[in-house]
Every structure is written in C-alpha cells, then in structure tokens.
C-alpha cells in the first residue's frame, strides 16, 4: 500500500466515522423536524383534526426531551477529558538538539513537525493529540522552517500532535538509530493534519472519554441514572464506528510507514533489533531490580542509565547479542538532552508511579537511591527486614529457639532455628491435598493456623476475627501451598498474613486516593486514583513469600558469619556475593526444604561456603 493509497483509505474510513456522527445527529433532530412540520401545518390551517392535534401534543414534548437529551450527551462528549498518557515533558530549552533532529526529520518527510516532545518510561513511541481544552492551552504559534508547511502558512490548521518517545530508547540507542526509529512515527503527523481524520479522531476520543465519565461511581441516584443513559448512547456509537476507526488508524500507519521508507531505511532494520533488545532489558530491569527497591520505599533515580548496564550485561552473556556492544562507542541519543541526569530522574520517578503506585515526590518513606548505594541501601536492608519478619512470625507461633549453644546463651535469632522448624522429621507433606481439611492437621487447625491473621488483615487490625471450627475451609488454601510440608504451609500462610497487615497500614509517603498531584506537575491531567496503572507482577503467593524470606535469612547468615556481601545483578536483581563471586545455586536447595522438609542439601551448601547457621545474625 503506497502513501497515497494508505492516506485515501484512512480518509475514507474517517468519512465513515463522520457519517455515523451525522446519522446520530439526524436521529436526534428527526422528532423535532416532524414536530415543526405538524406545528407549521396547524398554523397554516392544513393539518387539523383530533388526530393531528393529538400527534402535536404527544410529539412536541417528546421532541423537546430528545433535543435536551441530545444536547446533554453532546455536552458530555465535548467536555469530557480524553485520556492523556502520563509523560515527562521535554522543553526545547532542555533538548535543542533533539528538537532540531525531529524538525529535520519532518522537513525531509514533508510533514508538519510535532508541537512538542515528551518522554514515557516505556519502550514505545507514538503521536498523541493534546488539543482538547482540558489538556491546557495550545502551544504558541510555531515558526518552524519546515518544507511544505509554508504553503499553508496563511491557513488555519490543527495543532500538530505531541511526539512521545520511550525514555529507554534515548539511553540505549545511538543518535542514528533513534532517528531511524522515529521517522515512521513523525511521518504520521501528515495524515493527522487532514481535517476529516482529525475530526473523526476527536469524535472517537470524545465518545471514549464520555464512557469513562459515565463509568465513574456516583452516589446521587439522579446523576447516576442520567450518566447511565449517556454511557449507553456513547457505547452504542463506539461499537458502530469501532471497525471504521481501526481501519482508519491502519491506513494512517501504512501511509506513514510508506512515507518514511526513503529516510534511513537501511539503518531502521538494525534499529528495530535494538527496540526488541531494549524492551527485554527494560522489562528485566523493572521486575528484577527496580521492583525490590520500590517495595522497600526507595526508587532508583537512574533507571534509564541502568538499562544501558543491563543490556550491556545481556550482550555479554548472550552470544546472539555480541555485536551489539560495539555500538556503545557511537554517540548515544541521550546526548541530545542538555541535562540527561535530570530527565532520567523524572522518568524514573514516573516509572515508579506507573508500575508500582509510588507517591509523586520524595519523602521520608520514599527516597531516591543511586546505583552505587543499591546493594547496601536496598539489598542488605531488604534481606534483614525479611529475616526480621520471619523470626517475628516464628515468635508468634511459639517456635523454640535453636538448640545450639550460642543461641541458647544469647537468645538471638539464628538460621538454625528456621532450619530446625522446617525440617521437623515428624512432618508430613501436603502434596495432592488442600491446606484445610487435609491429612496434615497442623496446617488446618491448632495454634499455627493462619485463618485469624488473614481475616484480621482483611478486616483491619482492630477487628476481631470470628471463630472458625477446626477443619473448616482455610481462605489461604491455594494450589500454591499444596506440595509443601505442613510447617512450610503454615509458616507461609502466617508470613502472607503478616505482610498483608503491614501493607494495609497507612504510610505517610503514600497519597490518599483523592489527593491530586501538584498543579505544576505535568501529570496532573491523568487520573492517579487507580495507581499503579500498569502493575508489573501479580501479588506474590504464599510459597514465593516463604522462599524469599528463607533466602533472605540464609543471605543474612552468610554476610554475618562468612564475610559475604550484598550485590546487584543487572539482569537478576539482588544477589549474594561470596569472595566477589555470585552464588547462583541457592534457590533449588531452598525449595527442597520447603517442599520436602529436607534440609540436608542446604546444610551441605552452607558448610561448603563456611556459613555458620548456629551463629546469631543481625536483623533489620
């Protein structure tokens, strides 16, 4: 499909969307038109008689109601704020070289330049229309010397959309690669300037925003009923024009891609490989490295710089990516920014908000952390807090201290206490059965049951949980806990309840659901009441929590008794370093203890590395 063919297809679909809008308007005006005819007939002494009088008395009020309803729906559609992506705005003063490159691309493509540039903490780039009045005043009139723009200098045309660039691209890609990747995106400003396509997009966005307004919970029955009707009409119109709108966007994309063929086509093939690599590294960095820090109340302030380290490490490990590291000698795209560190920090904070739900700014419980401080400020602290929670739960369960002489003398927490409890030779495995009502009685009833803790965590710490008869269904009984020993299942359930209680406690750094962002914040126009908007991972299961806490206890013992140190692996996150080498064989031994109650593999591993499980450890 060529440029002209794609543009024509997009315009045809845009006209189809606009015809649906016209039909909806005609349906709303039809009763009023009939009423006008009936009233005009009565004034001209033509349509007289009881039948016509009855029709006038019935249809005229109905026409007025339809007009009022149509006007109300049109008002909601026009005033509803379309969704706007959370981004970090980049002014021209902050990135003159980047703006110059974008305008040069628009010049070569013979399309209008984007009205502004913004960054998103994701591996994607797109054009976004922000001309709605709720998005703020349009930018001042631009005077860019762009080829093709001068021909319409004296005509009024729509404001060009905003170019949104994925921030990881700026740090990982080279300048030429970024230029090649952005060429087909910027080429889309040409079709976007067409009046029919712009009008069709505004209509679809307005309907979508009206549906969002109608879906908001309200207590007033009148407004709830009125908006329910508005939402029904908006959804009906959206369903009618969905196919046409989708084909319109495909035509726009095809026309933009065809137009960009002449600009850096050969380099674009290489750049697309970097897009896939950047996405893989960015995902690993967020889930393995950033997420543990966010859960600790710390947010890494240089995520984009970290993705370069992660991808460089991936290039070193993966033979298929060996050639990618040679690119690092070329000029990175972040050099197009005047202050890359400041932009990286803003994008990192936005990423924490979108993917984890953090506050909009730093605070006592939400502070930035540099990569050099990550092992001590995040890894060490995380392990010690998890180990402290583990022993706190064991205390509430009445688990005895380890039998070693050191522990008996000091009463300090030890790894042996955990191993002895989970490796009880008298325990039975719960494989193939559920936690409640299973042959493993201690997991279903008795002092170790986790029912009351879970119910307290859900209802609140001040609410007493109702009594539950022994053997009653346990709400923590998932398939996740089957296949573990009874002590492991019970301890996992207790840890899950304890962590839920801690997370339910209010934090001074967490904004209330109704608190808006500062007026100066560019993200104040998007709804932050449902953060995180894009959660990275589902909540950890009870089995995963137990494995994490047991691993943390082992790592604390290794640091306090064998001279191990916390470390950061760019692809796998927190890691334990012994003599500067990463330990990679701990997880299977932890799972063997949890699932089979067999501590022998773990004890052998500890002995080989000189880790003393009977020695006291320092908790968080």
């Amino acid at each position: 499909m060529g440029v002209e063919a794609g543009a024509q297809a997009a315009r045809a679909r845009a006209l189809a969307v606009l015809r649906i809008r016209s039909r909806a308007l005609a349906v709303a005006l039809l009763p009023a038109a009939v009423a006008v005819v009936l009233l005009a007939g009565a004034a001209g002494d033509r349509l007289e008689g009881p039948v016509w009088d009855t029709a006038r008395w019935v249809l005229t009020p109905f026409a007025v109601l339809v007009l009022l309803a149509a006007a109300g729906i049109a008002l909601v559609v026009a005033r509803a704020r379309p969704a706007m992506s959370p981004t970090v705005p980049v002014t021209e003063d902050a990135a003159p070289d980047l703006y110059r490159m974008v305008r040069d691309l628009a010049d070569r493509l013979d399309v209008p330049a984007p009205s502004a540039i913004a960054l998103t903490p994701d591996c994607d780039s797109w054009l976004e229309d922000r001309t709605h009045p709720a998005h703020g005043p349009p930018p001042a009139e631009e005077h860019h010397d762009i080829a093709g723009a001068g021909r319409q200098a004296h005509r009024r045309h729509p404001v060009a959309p905003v170019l949104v660039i994925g921030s990881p691209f700026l740090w990982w890609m080279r300048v030429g690669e970024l230029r090649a990747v952005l060429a087909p995106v910027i080429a889309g400003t040409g079709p976007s300037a067409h009046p029919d396509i712009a009008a069709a997009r505004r209509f679809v966005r307005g309907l979508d925003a009206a549906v969002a307004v109608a879906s908001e919970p309200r207590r007033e029955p009148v407004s709830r009923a009125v908006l329910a009707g508005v939402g029904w009409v908006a959804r009906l119109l959206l369903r009618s024009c969905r196919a046409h709108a989708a084909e319109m966007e495909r035509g726009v994309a095809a026309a933009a891609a065809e137009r960009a063929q002449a600009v850096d086509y050969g380099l674009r093939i290489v750049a697309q490989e970097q897009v896939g690599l950047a996405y893989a590294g960015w995902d690993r960095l967020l889930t393995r490295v950033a997420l543990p820090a966010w859960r600790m109340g710390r947010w890494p302030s240089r995520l984009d710089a970290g993705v370069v380290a992660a991808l460089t490490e991936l290039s070193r490990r993966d033979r298929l990516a060996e050639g990618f590291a040679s690119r690092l000698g070329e000029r990175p795209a972040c050099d197009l920014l005047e202050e890359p560190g400041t932009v990286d920090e803003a994008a990192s904070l936005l990423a924490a908000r979108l993917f984890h739900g953090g506050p909009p700014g730093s605070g006592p419980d939400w502070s930035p952390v540099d990569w050099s401080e990550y092992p001590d400020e995040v890894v060490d602290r995380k392990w010690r807090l998890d180990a402290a929670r583990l022993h706190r739960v064991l205390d509430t369960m009445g688990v005895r201290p380890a039998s070693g002489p050191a522990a008996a003398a000091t009463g300090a927490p030890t790894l042996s206490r955990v191993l002895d409890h989970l490796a009880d030779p008298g325990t039975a495995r719960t494989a193939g059965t559920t936690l409640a009502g299973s042959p493993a009685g201690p997991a279903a009833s008795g002092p170790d049951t986790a029912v009351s803790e879970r119910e307290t965590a859900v209802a609140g710490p001040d609410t007493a949980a109702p009594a539950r008869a022994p053997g009653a269904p346990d709400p923590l009984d998932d398939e996740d806990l089957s296949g573990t020993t009874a002590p492991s299942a019970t301890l996992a359930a207790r840890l899950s309840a304890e962590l839920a209680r801690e997370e339910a406690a209010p934090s001074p750094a967490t904004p209330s659901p109704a608190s808006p962002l500062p007026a100066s914040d560019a993200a104040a126009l998007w709804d932050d009441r449902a953060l995180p908007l894009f959660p990275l991972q589902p909540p950890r299961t009870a089995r995963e929590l137990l494995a994490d806490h047991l691993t943390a206890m082992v790592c604390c013992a290794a640091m306090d008794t064998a001279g191990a140190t916390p470390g950061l692996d760019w692809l796998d996150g927190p890691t334990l370093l012994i003599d500067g080498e990463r330990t990679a064989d701990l997880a299977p031994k932890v799972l063997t203890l949890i699932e089979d109650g067999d501590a022998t593999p773990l004890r052998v591993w500890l002995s080989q590395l000189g880790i003393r499980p009977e020695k006291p450890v320092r908790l968080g």
Side-chain angles (χ1 to χ4, degrees):
M1 181 181 290
V3 177
E4 190 62 27
Q8 290 295 340
R11 293 168 189 169
R13 293 294 182 168
L15 290 175
V17 172
L18 295 179
R19 281 195 293 271
I20 293 174
R21 184 184 66 176
S22 300
R23 290 168 188 163
L25 179 61
V27 170
L29 294 178
L30 181 60
V34 176
V36 169
V37 171
L38 292 177
L39 293 175
D45 297 331
R46 292 183 179 275
L47 301 178
E48 295 181 344
V51 175
W52 294 110
D53 291 340
T54 302
R56 274 188 291 270
W57 280 105
V58 172
L59 193 58
T60 300
F62 176 73
V64 173
L65 290 177
V66 171
L67 284 177
L68 290 177
I73 294 172
L75 183 63
V76 172
V77 172
R79 294 179 62 88
R81 185 182 69 200
M84 188 178 78
S85 303
T87 56
V88 175
V90 178
T91 63
E92 187 169 356
D93 293 337
D97 292 342
L98 180 59
Y99 272 80
R100 191 177 302 112
M101 184 191 75
V102 169
R103 290 171 187 165
D104 178 67
L105 271 175
D107 185 9
R108 292 185 59 184
L109 295 167
D110 194 20
V111 296
S115 59
I117 298 176
L119 299 184
T120 178
D122 200 359
C123 294
D124 198 3
S125 296
W126 66 88
L127 294 171
E128 185 166 290
D129 186 359
R130 297 183 178 179
T131 57
H132 192 275
H135 294 160
E141 184 180 356
E142 303 175 68
H143 301 281
H144 305 326
D145 296 330
I146 301 173
R151 294 192 295 269
Q152 300 179 354
H154 301 290
R155 294 181 59 188
R156 195 172 177 181
H157 56 83
V159 177
V162 174
L163 173 63
V164 181
I165 306 174
S167 62
F169 292 166
L170 284 174
W171 268 259
W172 175 243
M173 289 185 173
R174 310 299 99 180
V175 173
E177 294 169 348
L178 180 66
R179 179 187 178 92
V181 168
L182 293 181
V185 181
I186 296 174
T189 61
S192 299
H194 192 275
D196 293 336
I197 295 177
R201 284 176 166 175
R202 283 195 302 269
F203 178 60
V204 173
R205 285 196 304 269
L207 292 176
D208 183 70
V211 171
V213 171
S215 301
E216 293 180 357
R218 285 177 172 81
R219 294 183 179 179
E220 300 82 0
V222 176
S223 62
R224 188 166 60 247
V226 171
L227 287 176
V230 173
W232 181 84
V233 174
R235 291 186 184 92
L236 178 64
L237 293 175
L238 272 178
R239 285 193 296 269
S240 301
C241 62
R242 179 183 295 129
H244 296 298
E247 291 299 326
M248 177 185 69
E249 296 302 336
R250 289 192 185 97
V252 169
E258 188 69 22
R259 181 181 291 271
Q261 289 279 347
V263 180
D264 300 331
Y265 178 73
L267 186 58
R268 188 174 306 122
I269 299 176
V270 178
Q272 288 300 328
E273 296 177 354
Q274 302 305 317
V275 171
L277 187 64
Y279 184 86
W282 181 249
D283 181 71
R284 291 288 291 267
L285 183 75
L286 292 182
T287 55
R288 306 292 180 88
V289 179
L291 188 58
W294 293 338
R295 286 172 173 164
M296 296 294 300
R298 307 295 298 272
W299 54 277
S301 59
R302 295 293 186 270
L303 279 179
D304 291 305
V307 79
V308 177
L311 290 173
T312 303
E313 177 66 15
L314 180 62
S315 301
R316 185 184 66 82
R317 297 184 189 179
D318 189 352
R319 292 183 178 180
L320 297 177
E322 286 179 356
F324 296 152
S326 61
R327 309 163 37 261
L328 300 182
E330 303 174 14
R331 185 190 182 195
C334 62
D335 280 358
L336 299 174
L337 305 173
E338 290 292 299
E339 298 182 2
T342 303
V343 176
D344 193 359
E345 184 173 353
S348 300
L349 182 57
L350 180 58
R353 300 208 69 207
L354 296 179
F355 299 115
H356 185 66
S362 298
D365 295 329
W366 185 246
S367 57
V369 60
D370 192 73
W371 290 125
S372 61
E373 303 171 348
Y374 186 95
D376 293 330
E377 296 294 327
V378 175
V379 180
D380 181 87
R381 185 178 169 216
K382 172 186 181 301
W383 285 342
R384 297 195 185 277
L385 288 179
D386 284 353
R389 184 182 299 109
L390 178 62
H391 281 278
R392 188 164 59 250
V393 170
L394 291 176
D395 291 340
T396 61
M397 295 169 58
V399 176
R400 300 184 304 273
S403 56
T410 64
T414 64
L415 176 59
S416 294
R417 181 193 189 193
V418 184
L419 300 182
D420 292 346
H421 175 68
L422 295 179
D424 186 349
T427 61
R429 194 177 179 188
T430 62
T433 60
T434 57
L435 183 60
S438 68
S445 61
D448 291 344
T449 184
V451 175
S452 59
E453 278 73 9
R454 169 59 75 182
E455 291 176 346
T456 302
V458 173
D462 297 330
T463 305
R468 187 179 295 270
D474 193 317
L476 279 174
D477 175 22
D478 306 326
E479 293 181 0
D480 169 66
L481 290 180
S482 64
T484 62
T485 62
S488 295
T490 302
L491 183 56
R494 291 277 189 140
L495 282 172
S496 180
E498 177 68 16
L499 189 62
R501 187 186 298 105
E502 293 176 6
E503 292 176 348
S507 172
T510 304
S512 62
S515 63
L517 291 174
S520 59
D521 196 322
L525 292 176
W526 52 275
D527 189 1
D528 65 337
R529 291 173 294 178
L531 293 175
L533 298 180
F534 311 104
L536 291 179
Q537 292 178 334
R540 288 173 291 180
T541 64
R543 182 198 294 258
E544 292 171 341
L545 286 175
L546 178 57
D548 289 346
H549 284 71
L550 182 54
T551 301
M553 188 62 203
V554 172
C555 293
C556 289
M559 291 187 294
D560 291 348
T561 68
T565 58
L568 167 61
D569 185 279
W570 289 109
L571 297 176
D572 295 327
T575 186
L576 182 67
L577 302 178
I578 298 181
D579 295 331
E581 296 294 330
R582 175 190 173 194
T583 58
D585 53 350
L586 175 59
K589 299 168 179 58
V590 170
L591 290 179
T592 299
L593 175 60
I594 292 174
E595 296 174 354
D596 301 329
D598 183 6
T600 301
L602 182 56
R603 290 186 185 275
V604 171
W605 185 85
L606 296 172
S607 176
Q608 291 174 344
L609 296 177
I611 301 173
R612 305 282 300 276
E614 76 281 0
K615 292 291 186 180
V617 298
R618 177 174 59 87
L619 303 182

